[in-house]
Amino acid sequence: MSGLVALLDDVAALAKLSAASIDDIGAAAGRAGAKAVGVVIDDTAVTPRYVTGFTPERELPIIWRIAKGSLKNKIVFILPAALLLSQFLPWALNPLLMVGGAYLCFEGAEKVYEAIWGHHEDGTEQVIKLASAAHEEKMVAGAIRTDFILSAEIMAISLAEVADQAFFSRALILVLVALMITALVYGVVGLIVKTDDFGVRLASSNARAAQSIGRGLVKGMPVVMSALSVIGTAAMLWVGGHIIIDGLDKFGLSWPAHTLHDLALAAGHAIPFAEGVVEWLVETLGSALVGVVLGGIIVAALHLRPARAAAH
């Protein structure tokens, strides 16, 4: 009997230890996710533009497909690679992130180029394109590619926050971060893109107040979606530029990061009642400028190459 009691005491002690470990892992996942909140906001702003123009019944299925692709990016591809690299080749994480940052700069600059000089389709051509399965596949694939870079940045920031944890704990924390952030981002995106449908339902109700709110939502959502499309493009540029600046700093080329930081501090001191906001704006605009320049160089190189080939 005494042996059984001792065994039960040991089991209770192990259960308490496991519960404490789970609490610690949950808290660490929360801290790691909070550190990546800036990229999460960017991811949320980028995604809605990939479902703009589709019929209402296809919006949620497309978002669900992108969400599954995002979770696959994080858990199947990024997580194992990040854990292995952090364990055996920690020096490789920075250059890989910089390659991803350059891709984001290119994506953002390409969108700007298309908006200014791109081909504008007529209404019939656009309807046919949006109704096609090929266009849906293209948009979903593009969203998942862009998500891969943003997810890699989220996971890298989270990994840096829990670098002192044991290997298994790190893996479990990053899985929790991947699940939480994917649910947050695509839950919010789903709410954004379905708000106009909710507005239509309100507008068709019997209550005048509900009708007024519904009509306002229906009229306002195209403006919101257009704004989110612009914010999404800007987000790619400033996140990509920030990754490049931060990567150069880690390689020892510190003057871009230090110069931008000093400018942000000076601007913040000049407007003390909004110091934090001003500092963030200056650093964000500086990162976006780097993104525009680098992305513009890549876009120009890709557009000039076919012209040179044709000339020869």
Side-chain angles (χ1 to χ4, degrees):
M1 179 64 72
S2 61
L4 178 60
V5 171
L7 177 61
L8 291 174
D9 285 342
D10 290 342
V11 170
L14 285 172
K16 288 179 181 178
L17 182 61
S18 298
S21 297
I22 290 170
D23 287 342
D24 290 342
I25 287 171
R31 290 195 304 272
K35 286 286 185 179
V37 69
V39 187
V40 171
I41 293 170
D42 297 336
D43 203 357
T44 307
V46 167
T47 305
R49 70 184 181 82
Y50 287 101
V51 296
T52 301
F54 285 99
T55 55
E57 64 271 13
R58 290 306 306 156
E59 289 173 343
L60 287 182
I62 290 170
I63 292 170
W64 174 239
R65 290 182 64 190
I66 297 171
K68 288 192 294 183
S70 174
L71 200 57
K72 185 177 179 181
N73 282 340
K74 293 181 181 75
I75 293 179
V76 177
F77 300 120
I78 298 169
L79 176 59
L83 288 171
L84 289 173
L85 286 172
S86 66
Q87 193 74 15
F88 301 109
L89 295 171
W91 57 267
L93 284 172
N94 190 46
L96 287 174
L97 274 176
M98 290 182 72
V99 171
Y103 177 78
L104 280 180
C105 294
F106 159 71
E107 278 274 287
E110 180 78 1
K111 297 300 176 187
V112 174
Y113 174 84
E114 289 175 355
I116 298 174
W117 291 288
H119 169 63
H120 300 285
E121 299 166 346
D122 61 32
T124 304
E125 183 180 358
Q126 191 175 30
V127 169
I128 293 171
K129 182 181 176 183
L130 290 174
S132 70
H135 178 64
E136 181 174 320
E137 291 296 326
K138 179 182 176 182
M139 296 304 286
V140 169
I144 293 173
R145 278 197 307 272
T146 301
D147 172 89
F148 187 91
I149 307 302
L150 294 170
S151 292
E153 177 73 354
I154 289 167
M155 298 298 275
I157 292 170
S158 303
L159 180 61
E161 182 65 15
V162 297
D164 58 339
Q165 300 281 338
F167 184 86
F168 179 76
S169 294
R170 260 184 289 159
L172 192 53
I173 289 166
L174 290 178
V175 168
L176 288 175
V177 169
L179 291 171
M180 290 189 304
I181 286 180
T182 303
L184 173 64
V185 168
Y186 292 98
V188 172
V189 170
L191 288 174
I192 289 171
V193 300
K194 297 308 290 182
T195 299
D196 54 348
D197 293 344
F198 179 63
V200 170
R201 291 186 181 182
L202 286 179
S204 60
S205 69
N206 295 324
R208 287 188 176 182
Q211 290 175 359
S212 179
I213 293 171
R215 285 193 293 269
L217 288 174
V218 171
K219 291 178 181 178
M221 281 314 295
V223 177
V224 171
M225 293 299 288
S226 297
L228 282 173
S229 180
V230 173
I231 292 169
T233 299
M236 285 192 257
L237 291 169
W238 82 59
V239 173
H242 174 74
I243 293 172
I244 297 299
I245 292 171
D246 188 58
L248 291 174
D249 188 30
K250 289 176 181 175
F251 275 129
L253 188 61
S254 300
W255 68 263
H258 289 170
T259 301
L260 186 55
H261 181 66
D262 292 342
L263 285 172
L265 286 178
H269 291 324
I271 310 176
F273 63 88
E275 186 172 348
V277 174
V278 172
E279 287 180 11
W280 179 84
L281 281 173
V282 171
E283 291 197 358
T284 297
L285 289 172
S287 297
L289 180 60
V290 171
V292 168
V293 171
L294 177 58
I297 291 170
I298 298 171
V299 169
L302 291 175
H303 282 275
L304 285 174
R305 188 176 59 182
R308 288 180 178 176
H312 290 293

